[in-house]
Amino acid sequence: MSFTFKELYQLEKNKPTAGQLFIERIAEITCRQPATIRMWLNGTQFPNDTAIKAIAKELNVDEDSLFPKKKTLL
C-alpha cells in the first residue's frame, strides 16, 4: 500500500496524543466519561475517594498527592 506525503501526515495527525491517552486510561479505570476527567484536571470538579484510590493504584502514587486543592477546600 502506498500513501502520499499528505496522507502520511494525516495518519500521524489523527493519532491520539499522550494527554488524550492518559484521559482515556483514567476514564476507563474510574468508570467515568473523559469530560469528567478533564473537569478533574482543571479543578472544576473532584473525584470521590473511590476514584482517587483507583487512580493512585493505577499510577502507583500516594492518594494524598493527587488532588491537593481538594484538601484545602474541605
Side-chain angles (χ1 to χ4, degrees):
M1 185 176 222
S2 185
F3 294 99
T4 67
F5 184 69
K6 187 172 183 174
E7 288 169 336
L8 291 168
Y9 167 74
Q10 286 297 348
L11 288 171
E12 288 300 310
K13 187 177 175 187
N14 291 335
K15 288 182 180 179
T17 66
Q20 289 169 325
L21 293 173
F22 179 84
I23 288 171
E24 290 172 11
R25 176 180 170 197
I26 300 303
E28 186 175 321
I29 65 160
T30 60
C31 300
R32 302 301 193 287
Q33 294 294 318
T36 301
I37 309 311
R38 287 183 191 92
M39 286 187 255
W40 295 349
L41 287 168
N42 69 29
T44 57
Q45 287 187 12
F46 295 99
N48 63 25
D49 290 341
T50 304
I52 291 173
K53 287 181 192 312
I55 296 166
K57 182 178 178 184
E58 176 72 14
L59 301 178
N60 196 29
V61 297
D62 182 48
E63 292 174 27
D64 294 332
S65 69
L66 288 172
F67 296 92
K69 187 176 178 183
K70 180 180 179 180
K71 288 190 169 274
T72 61
L73 295 174
L74 296 177

